[in-house]
Amino acid sequence: KQEVTQIPAALSVPEGENLVLNCSFTDSAIYNLQWFRQDPGKGLTSLLLIQSSQREQTSGRLNASLDKSSGRSTLYIAASQPGDSATYLCAVSDDNDMRFGAGTRLTVKP
Amino acid sequence: GAVVSQHPSWVICKSGTSVKIECRSLDFQATTMFWYRQFPKQSLMLMATSNEGSKATYEQGVEKDKFLINHASLTLSTLTVTSAHPEDSSFYICSATGGFNTGELFFGEGSRLTVL
């Protein structure tokens, strides 16, 4: 059964710093991996989707990488801003379902 | 991108009543919809998968008679929490896929249920 782990559980950084969020998964037979953002009390916003055949995706200040063989993905946020404060979730999909990590709660201090 | 709308965004009800939450795909046909619940500070837990026109597939431990899911059309799925109890209070989120080649899921805004 697929297990998804996110480290750290919480992260606090000053504004302007570059940061990396980590996601690991136990079964490398995935279809794709998605990174989401969740603001308190809100639904999920999809940030980046990486297909199993891809190594990375970029959108603005965000860059997500995927190393399927080692079961890892990272989300890199450049020049962090207070508006980036949220919980970031990664989720992996296989043929059957989608599994979420517990998330990393990010706080960017002005 | 594709849009999924969920309604209501929050609801408060008395113990013993039933509550219906709607999930709509606004600009695509959702062949499959998923329902999740989320407890505070925890990740999403998949409750069930529903395909249009067929019965939902429930995850282990989820009571199908308690959480009724209907996916009668390609743009609408509903989750009804029957005889709600305080322990059913949670954040419920739906997602949908239209069979896009990417396999991408699109999420609703979520519905916060509080049972008094």
Side-chain angles (χ1 to χ4, degrees):
Chain A
K1 185 178 178 180
Q2 180 76 269
E3 292 183 5
V4 182
T5 304
Q6 287 186 249
I7 295 173
L11 180 64
S12 180
V13 300
E15 181 176 6
E17 272 203 9
N18 303 323
L19 58 99
V20 175
L21 307 181
N22 298 292
C23 173
S24 62
F25 47 95
T26 55
D27 186 348
S28 62
I30 66 171
Y31 187 62
N32 62 43
L33 183 146
Q34 279 185 263
W35 281 93
F36 296 91
R37 169 190 173 131
Q38 185 175 29
D39 293 287
K42 304 287 186 180
L44 300 182
T45 300
S46 180
L47 298 174
L48 290 165
L49 169 69
I50 311 177
Q51 299 298 335
S52 62
S53 59
Q54 297 174 326
R55 284 193 170 271
E56 67 176 348
Q57 284 288 324
T58 298
S59 175
R61 294 183 292 109
L62 305 179
N63 175 277
S65 67
L66 174 63
D67 184 342
K68 218 172 59 164
S69 60
S70 66
R72 293 180 182 178
S73 175
T74 61
L75 177 66
Y76 175 82
I77 301 177
S80 59
Q81 303 171 357
D84 294 331
S85 298
T87 296
Y88 291 81
L89 295 159
C90 75
V92 296
S93 297
D94 58 23
D95 287 342
N96 298 313
D97 59 21
M98 186 180 215
R99 297 285 169 181
F100 287 83
T104 294
R105 190 167 63 257
L106 173 66
T107 303
V108 181
K109 298 179 179 178
Chain B
V3 178
V4 176
S5 177
Q6 207 171 321
H7 177 81
S9 56
W10 59 270
V11 58
I12 301 173
C13 70
K14 292 182 179 179
S15 233
T17 60
S18 294
V19 175
K20 181 184 285 187
I21 301 170
E22 294 186 346
C23 179
R24 293 180 184 272
S25 57
L26 298 186
D27 51 3
F28 68 100
Q29 293 185 327
T31 52
T32 304
M33 286 185 168
F34 305 87
W35 286 94
Y36 308 81
R37 67 184 299 182
Q38 186 179 33
F39 293 103
K41 298 186 179 180
Q42 296 187 28
S43 187
L44 298 176
M45 298 297 296
L46 179 65
M47 298 174 65
T49 302
S50 74
N51 294 296
E52 184 268 339
S54 61
K55 290 184 179 180
T57 302
Y58 290 81
E59 294 296 300
Q60 191 172 9
V62 178
E63 299 176 59
K64 59 180 67 177
D65 295 330
K66 173 75 169 175
F67 299 99
L68 300 179
I69 292 172
N70 182 281
H71 192 169
S73 78
L74 283 170
T75 59
L76 174 64
S77 176
T78 60
L79 167 67
T80 301
V81 182
T82 62
S83 187
H85 290 284
E87 57 265 31
D88 298 325
S89 298
S90 189
F91 193 56
Y92 294 88
I93 304 178
C94 71
S95 70
T97 180
F100 304 111
N101 290 335
T102 61
E104 188 170 4
L105 287 180
F106 300 93
F107 285 79
E109 307 95 327
S111 299
R112 179 161 299 286
L113 170 64
T114 302
V115 184
L116 302 177

